[in-house]
Amino acid sequence: MNNELKILGRDPIKNDVTDTLVLARDKFPGSSISLDALCKRFNIDLSRRKKHNALLDCELLREAYIN
């Protein structure tokens, strides 16, 4: 996003970002770290996930991150 703002000549957004993919790789090396795999690992209900839905994925990732 900041690259796109730079192209437009706008100031970047200053915020800290937590890359959950890096966290999962560090915590579970060699294991599958897809959202589905993380949800299964933490017994998070995936029944609402019938197709890709960004908002639902964010909610599921939040639950996995808390675990």
Side-chain angles (χ1 to χ4, degrees), residues 1-2 5 10-17:
M1 187 175 281
N2 279 337
L5 290 170
R10 309 285 302 265
D11 292 332
I13 297 170
K14 294 181 174 89
N15 65 337
D16 292 327
V17 175

Side-chain angles (χ1 to χ4, degrees), residues 3-50:
N3 185 56
E4 298 300 318
L5 290 170
K6 181 180 177 183
I7 291 169
L8 296 172
R10 309 285 302 265
D11 292 332
I13 297 170
K14 294 181 174 89
N15 65 337
D16 292 327
V17 175
T18 301
D19 189 339
T20 55
L21 188 59
V22 172
L23 288 175
R25 280 187 184 134
D26 289 345
K27 187 156 180 75
F28 308 111
S31 297
S32 177
I33 54 170
S34 68
L35 182 54
D36 284 347
L38 290 172
C39 288
K40 289 175 186 171
R41 177 182 294 274
F42 295 117
N43 296 317
I44 297 168
D45 181 19
L46 287 170
S47 63
R48 300 179 296 158
R49 195 167 195 233
K50 308 240 184 301

Side-chain angles (χ1 to χ4, degrees), residues 20 35-36 38-39 44-46 48-49 51-67:
T20 55
L35 182 54
D36 284 347
L38 290 172
C39 288
I44 297 168
D45 181 19
L46 287 170
R48 300 179 296 158
R49 195 167 195 233
K51 60 181 180 176
H52 176 74
N53 177 307
L55 184 57
L56 179 57
D57 286 358
C58 288
E59 292 173 9
L60 293 170
L61 183 58
R62 174 186 50 91
E63 291 182 48
Y65 182 77
I66 289 169
N67 281 290

